[in-house]
Each structure stands twice: as C-alpha cells, then as structure tokens.
Amino acid sequence: MTVTVGVVAVQGDVSEHARAIERAGGGHGLETNVRELRTAGIVPDCDVLLLPGGESTTISRLVHREGIADEIREHAEAGKPILATCAGLILVSSDSGDDRVDTLDLLDVTVERNAFGRQRESFEAPLSVAGLDEQFPAVFIRAPAIEHVGDDVEVLATWDGRVVAVRQGPLVGTAFHPELTADSRIHDLAFFEDEAVRSLV
Ligand SMILES: NC(=O)CC[C@H](N)C(=O)O
C-alpha cells in the first residue's frame, strides 16, 4: 500500500523530510509517495501532511495566499495525521504571540518564537521522548518553545524545563527539526507507528 505524504514546500527544502518519511514507512513495509505542496489542490489527495521548519511569518503568508491553509484545516478536521515541526508547529498553534503569523489553531498550545535565546540559535540535544525507547538527537534551530498546553494535549518531551514536543490526537508537533539526523523515529511516531493513526491512512 502507498501512503501519500504532502509536505508544505512554499519555503525551503523538503528532501530531508522525504528521506525520513521513506525510511519510516519502509520499516512498516509501506511505500510512500511524497508530494510537495506549493499550490492548492494537492492536499485533498494526501493521507498525511508534514509542515516543516522555515520562517513562520513567510510560511503563514504563503499558505494563506495560496489557499493551502483552508485545505490543511479540512485535513485536520477529517482527523488525518499531521506532523508539524518548528515553524510548522508555530503555524498550527493557537497563538504565536506574533501578529505576523496567522496561526491555524489546530493544536491547543501557545508558543513563543525563538525561545532559546540568540546565543544558542542552533544546538543539538539528546531528548527523552515519550514512546521512544532511546533518546532522540534533536536539532534545534531558532526554535520555538511551547508555553501553554491545553487539556487534550499530551507532552512528549521537554528540554531545559520547556515543552518541545506534543501530541494532540493525530497531530504531533515538535519545536526541533527531526529530519536533520539519520534517525526517522519521530516521523515513524507521527505517521506509521501508532495503530490508531495507521488505520486512518
Ligand atoms: N527552524 C525554524 O523553523 C525556525 C522558526 C523561526 N525561528 C520562526 O519563528 O519562524
């Protein structure tokens, strides 16, 4: 069976995510077809969506302008899986504290952009993640932190006392970039590992 994965590609490169998705799906004997999302009309064909990092103000502007934002909302309302990382997490949050990001309000969290300070714009941290046996090498790049977490939101990981990964039903959000190491367990966790999520595909 082939899982169609839509990766928002209005900014930046999607190839690292595509590789991680292929590896994760392959571990379950699933073929994956990665579609790059730059225009409206493709999201309805996708089983799962990935909203990657980048600059959240730019991504927000483009997904709304291209009509992709409404399609992402419909995908979420249908209960289909989404993995949102870094700027993607900011986009799906209920509030980013920044008027320039028109958030989609799919995940009941508020975030603080660039929360880890200028002197630590980029760092790697060994993270304990709920559901993973061994620590995950998490790469943070001008990362947001999750501030307020709603009742239906499960905290998957914290770093430095701050929440950096969450799940709300079929939506997983991470403040870090899970695609930048050869470890595809976060993609697996979000899309393929959870039986309830797999049954939606
Ligand atoms: N790596 C990232 O996605 C950084 C997010 C970026 N700092 C923002 O606020 O949009």
Side-chain angles (χ1 to χ4, degrees), residues 8 37 39-44 49 51 59-80 82 91-92 102-106:
V8 170
L37 306 175
T39 53
I42 301 167
V43 171
L49 294 182
L51 279 50
I59 297 173
S60 165
R61 196 173 62 242
L62 289 170
V63 294
H64 284 95
R65 190 185 75 195
E66 297 300 325
I68 301 170
D70 285 339
E71 295 182 336
I72 296 172
R73 267 202 199 94
E74 281 162 28
H75 177 97
E77 277 160 18
K80 294 182 177 176
I82 298 177
L91 188 65
V92 296
D102 187 3
T103 64
L104 299 177
D105 198 9
L106 303 176

